[in-house]
Amino acid sequence: MNEQAQQASQAEQAEQAEQAEQAQQAARPGATMWAVVVDGFGGPERIELAEVPVPHPAAGQVRVRVRAAGVNPVDAAVRTGVFGGAGQPIGFGWDVAGEIDEVGPEVTGWSRGERVVGLHYGTVKPLGTHAQYAVLDASAVAAAPVAVDEVTAAALPLSGLTAARAVAQLELAVGASVLVTGAAGMVGGLAVQLAARAGLVVTALADAADEPLVRSLGAAAFVPRGGAPAGPVDGVVDAAVLGEAALSFVRDGGVYVGLIPYAAPAAERGVRVVVQEVAADGAHLARLVTLVDEGALTLRTAQAFPLARASEAHARLAEPGVRGRIVLTA
């Protein structure tokens, strides 16, 4: 074994030993962890880092030692009280990248130490993935990509599953035209890539400065914010939540796909209006991981913060022009 390989082997052994020690500590009665919570609605200053009991998986669940977790717009909505839940501590976080450190009863196919990504579905919950440990349904996780690090991988689950579901719900044939609004954002950018890969002719709507970016993701045409496509399109993925304005770009009998439940415009002119709602789907997530590993799907991160600086991460999320997912590391 050459020196470089020996060093890599020693580093891997040290990491495995650290993981084993952490698992032992988490298994001890009364073990606690750090988690990001809020007990009152408002701005980023309401975010707290709380010491809470380490959770354990029930039947059909796994516990993940969190290494990285995305900070999404839905987390800001939870913080400001959009989904309610007053009077109880509320946790944050849907995305997770890390390794399984405890397997619950009736779980097959997963074992401790496997690196995974997953989606922790739910708006008002006592704990999410913005913590040192998170419990997820075993069906909600997939083997982590090997082509990117854990911080980058944490950008995939929520945005990737949302974009993939939106593109699938277009139900358009190869060669059809689709407009993606908010194309420079995380969901919009992934939708551009997935739609182009599906053989659709993509027009991207974004800020003028983002034209090189969205064209690099696969957009065949570009529309600056406030503009309109050259002609009616067969479908729209409305990642920017433009509503009626986006619907107006669709041809008669086309399709509009929205991303926020209960926020879609009323159907008109025979346009099929669909509002997707993301679901925790490990099998679908595994297919997206394959695309990442093949270099067919590009993930983008903007900045990473440790858990202790979660309030800064929320403040950063509110700043204009953020391109890529903000991530918390644990």
Side-chain angles (χ1 to χ4, degrees), residues 9-101:
S9 177
Q10 291 173 343
E12 182 177 357
Q13 291 173 3
E15 183 178 8
Q16 290 173 348
E18 180 186 1
Q19 292 173 5
E21 182 180 356
Q22 290 174 343
Q24 290 175 355
Q25 291 176 347
R28 292 171 183 164
T32 61
M33 68 172 185
W34 294 108
V36 177
V37 300
V38 66
D39 62 3
F41 302 133
E45 72 281 355
R46 299 308 301 262
I47 295 291
E48 297 180 12
L49 191 63
E51 190 173 8
V52 301
V54 173
H56 293 279
Q61 296 181 320
V62 296
R63 187 176 70 196
V64 177
R65 174 59 176 97
V66 179
R67 300 300 176 183
V71 182
N72 291 277
V74 67
D75 295 309
V78 169
R79 189 198 73 234
T80 57
V82 170
F83 304 104
Q88 59 180 318
I90 301 173
F92 296 91
W94 293 51
D95 298 314
V96 65
E99 67 272 350
I100 293 174
D101 84 324

Side-chain angles (χ1 to χ4, degrees), residues 184-270:
M186 275 302 299
V187 173
L190 290 170
V192 168
Q193 295 177 70
L194 292 168
R197 182 177 174 80
L200 303 179
V201 180
V202 180
T203 296
L205 190 154
D207 287 340
D210 291 317
E211 180 174 2
L213 168 64
V214 296
R215 286 192 180 274
S216 75
L217 298 177
F222 177 78
V223 177
R225 187 186 300 273
V233 293
D234 297 313
V236 164
V237 173
D238 189 16
V241 198
L242 300 183
E244 292 180 358
L247 182 69
S248 70
F249 301 142
V250 181
R251 65 166 173 80
D252 294 355
V255 57
Y256 167 100
V257 178
L259 305 184
I260 300 180
Y262 314 113
E268 60 179 44
R269 299 179 288 106

